[in-house]
Coordinates of all heavy atoms in Angstrom, one line a residue:
P1 N 109.8 96.1 96.1 CA 111.2 96.5 96.5 C 112.2 95.4 96.4 O 113.3 95.5 97.0 CB 111.0 96.9 98.0 CG 110.1 95.9 98.5 CD 109.1 95.6 97.4
A2 N 112.0 94.5 95.5 CA 113.0 93.4 95.3 C 114.4 93.8 95.1 O 115.4 93.4 95.6 CB 112.5 92.4 94.3
Q3 N 114.5 94.8 94.2 CA 115.8 95.4 93.8 C 116.5 96.1 95.0 O 117.7 95.9 95.2 CB 115.6 96.4 92.6 CG 115.1 95.8 91.4 CD 113.5 95.7 91.4 OE1 112.8 96.1 92.3 NE2 113.0 94.9 90.4
L4 N 115.8 96.9 95.7 CA 116.3 97.5 96.9 C 116.7 96.5 98.0 O 117.9 96.6 98.5 CB 115.2 98.4 97.5 CG 115.6 99.4 98.6 CD1 116.7 100.4 98.1 CD2 114.4 100.1 99.1
E5 N 116.0 95.4 98.1 CA 116.3 94.4 99.1 C 117.6 93.7 98.7 O 118.5 93.2 99.5 CB 115.2 93.4 99.3 CG 114.0 93.9 99.9 CD 112.8 93.1 99.8 OE1 112.8 92.1 99.0 OE2 111.8 93.4 100.4
D6 N 117.8 93.5 97.4 CA 118.9 92.8 96.9 C 120.3 93.5 97.2 O 121.3 92.9 97.2 CB 118.8 92.5 95.4 CG 117.9 91.3 95.2 OD1 117.4 90.7 96.1 OD2 117.6 91.0 93.9
V7 N 120.2 94.8 97.3 CA 121.4 95.6 97.5 C 121.8 95.6 99.0 O 122.6 96.3 99.4 CB 121.3 97.0 96.9 CG1 122.6 97.8 97.0 CG2 121.0 96.9 95.4
L8 N 121.2 94.7 99.7 CA 121.6 94.4 101.0 C 123.1 94.0 101.1 O 123.7 93.8 102.2 CB 120.8 93.4 101.7 CG 119.3 93.8 102.1 CD1 118.5 92.6 102.6 CD2 119.4 94.8 103.2
T9 N 123.7 93.7 99.9 CA 125.1 93.4 99.9 C 126.0 94.5 100.6 O 127.1 94.2 101.0 CB 125.6 93.3 98.4 OG1 125.2 94.4 97.7 CG2 125.0 92.0 97.8
L10 N 125.4 95.7 100.7 CA 126.2 96.7 101.4 C 126.4 96.3 102.8 O 127.5 96.6 103.4 CB 125.5 98.0 101.3 CG 124.2 98.3 102.1 CD1 124.5 99.0 103.4 CD2 123.3 99.2 101.2
F11 N 125.6 95.5 103.4 CA 125.8 95.0 104.8 C 127.0 94.0 104.8 O 127.8 94.0 105.7 CB 124.6 94.4 105.5 CG 123.6 95.5 105.7 CD1 122.2 95.3 105.4 CD2 123.9 96.6 106.4 CE1 121.3 96.3 105.6 CE2 123.0 97.6 106.7 CZ 121.7 97.4 106.3
W12 N 127.0 93.1 103.7 CA 128.1 92.2 103.6 C 129.5 92.9 103.5 O 130.5 92.7 104.1 CB 127.9 91.2 102.4 CG 129.1 90.4 102.2 CD1 129.4 89.2 102.8 CD2 130.2 90.6 101.3 NE1 130.6 88.7 102.3 CE2 131.1 89.6 101.4 CE3 130.5 91.6 100.4 CZ2 132.2 89.5 100.6 CZ3 131.6 91.6 99.7 CH2 132.5 90.5 99.8
A13 N 129.4 94.0 102.6 CA 130.6 94.8 102.4 C 131.1 95.5 103.8 O 132.3 95.5 104.0 CB 130.4 95.8 101.3
G14 N 130.1 96.0 104.5 CA 130.5 96.6 105.8 C 131.1 95.6 106.8 O 132.0 96.0 107.5
E15 N 130.7 94.3 106.6 CA 131.3 93.4 107.6 C 132.8 93.1 107.1 O 133.6 92.6 107.9 CB 130.5 92.1 107.5 CG 129.2 92.3 108.3 CD 128.2 91.2 108.0 OE1 128.5 90.2 107.3 OE2 127.0 91.4 108.5
Q16 N 133.1 93.3 105.8 CA 134.4 93.0 105.3 C 135.4 94.2 105.6 O 136.6 94.0 105.7 CB 134.4 92.8 103.8 CG 133.4 91.7 103.3 CD 133.6 90.4 104.0 OE1 134.7 89.9 104.0 NE2 132.5 89.9 104.6
A17 N 134.9 95.4 105.7 CA 135.6 96.6 106.0 C 136.3 96.6 107.3 O 135.7 96.0 108.3 CB 134.8 97.8 105.7
A18 N 137.4 97.2 107.4 CA 138.1 97.3 108.7 C 137.4 98.4 109.5 O 136.7 99.3 109.0 CB 139.6 97.8 108.5
D19 N 137.5 98.3 110.9 CA 136.8 99.3 111.7 C 137.2 100.7 111.3 O 138.4 100.9 111.1 CB 137.2 99.0 113.1 CG 136.4 97.9 113.8 OD1 135.3 97.5 113.2 OD2 136.9 97.3 114.7
G20 N 136.3 101.6 111.2 CA 136.6 102.9 110.8 C 136.7 103.2 109.3 O 136.8 104.4 108.9
E21 N 136.8 102.2 108.5 CA 136.9 102.3 107.1 C 135.5 102.8 106.6 O 134.5 102.2 106.8 CB 137.3 101.0 106.5 CG 137.9 101.1 105.1 CD 138.6 99.7 104.7 OE1 138.2 98.7 105.2 OE2 139.4 99.8 103.8
P22 N 135.5 103.8 105.7 CA 134.2 104.3 105.2 C 133.5 103.4 104.2 O 134.2 102.5 103.5 CB 134.6 105.6 104.4 CG 136.0 105.6 104.2 CD 136.6 104.6 105.2
L23 N 132.2 103.3 104.2 CA 131.4 102.6 103.4 C 130.4 103.5 102.6 O 129.8 104.3 103.3 CB 130.6 101.5 104.1 CG 129.6 100.7 103.3 CD1 130.2 99.9 102.3 CD2 128.7 99.9 104.3
A24 N 130.4 103.4 101.3 CA 129.5 104.3 100.6 C 128.7 103.4 99.6 O 129.0 102.3 99.3 CB 130.2 105.3 99.7
V25 N 127.5 103.9 99.2 CA 126.7 103.2 98.2 C 126.5 104.2 97.1 O 126.4 105.3 97.3 CB 125.4 102.8 98.9 CG1 124.5 103.9 99.4 CG2 124.5 101.9 97.9
G26 N 126.5 103.6 95.8 CA 126.4 104.5 94.7 C 125.8 103.7 93.5 O 125.6 102.4 93.7
G27 N 125.5 104.4 92.5 CA 124.9 103.7 91.3 C 124.7 104.6 90.2 O 124.7 105.8 90.3
D28 N 124.3 104.0 89.1 CA 124.0 104.8 87.9 C 122.6 104.6 87.4 O 122.2 103.3 87.5 CB 125.0 104.3 86.7 CG 124.6 104.8 85.4 OD1 124.9 106.0 85.1 OD2 124.0 104.1 84.6
S29 N 121.9 105.5 87.1 CA 120.5 105.4 86.6 C 119.6 104.7 87.6 O 119.5 105.2 88.8 CB 120.5 104.8 85.2 OG 119.2 104.8 84.6
A30 N 119.1 103.6 87.3 CA 118.3 102.8 88.3 C 119.1 102.4 89.5 O 118.6 102.5 90.6 CB 117.7 101.6 87.6
G31 N 120.3 102.1 89.3 CA 121.2 101.9 90.4 C 121.4 103.1 91.4 O 121.5 103.0 92.6
G32 N 121.4 104.2 90.7 CA 121.5 105.5 91.6 C 120.2 105.6 92.4 O 120.3 106.1 93.5
T33 N 119.1 105.3 91.8 CA 117.8 105.4 92.6 C 117.8 104.3 93.8 O 117.3 104.6 94.9 CB 116.6 105.0 91.7 OG1 116.6 105.9 90.6 CG2 115.3 105.1 92.4
I34 N 118.4 103.1 93.6 CA 118.5 102.2 94.6 C 119.4 102.7 95.7 O 119.2 102.7 96.9 CB 119.1 100.8 94.1 CG1 118.0 100.1 93.2 CG2 119.5 99.9 95.2 CD1 118.6 99.0 92.4
A35 N 120.5 103.3 95.3 CA 121.5 104.0 96.2 C 120.8 105.1 97.1 O 120.9 105.2 98.3 CB 122.7 104.5 95.6
A36 N 120.1 105.9 96.4 CA 119.3 107.0 97.0 C 118.3 106.4 98.0 O 118.1 106.9 99.1 CB 118.7 107.9 96.1
G37 N 117.7 105.4 97.6 CA 116.7 104.7 98.5 C 117.3 104.2 99.8 O 116.8 104.4 100.9
W38 N 118.5 103.6 99.6 CA 119.2 103.1 100.9 C 119.7 104.2 101.7 O 119.6 104.2 103.0 CB 120.4 102.2 100.5 CG 119.9 100.8 100.5 CD1 119.8 99.9 99.4 CD2 119.6 100.0 101.6 NE1 119.4 98.8 99.8 CE2 119.2 98.7 101.1 CE3 119.5 100.2 103.0 CZ2 118.8 97.7 102.0 CZ3 119.1 99.2 103.8 CH2 118.9 98.0 103.4

């Protein structure tokens, strides 16, 4: 699951977002699979 673990950047992004600001994950092809996994 190295690829899935690397997309932990979504937690960093969530820390940058203002309170109440939405956070989404997305991707194309293999990236879409990673997004679906998360």
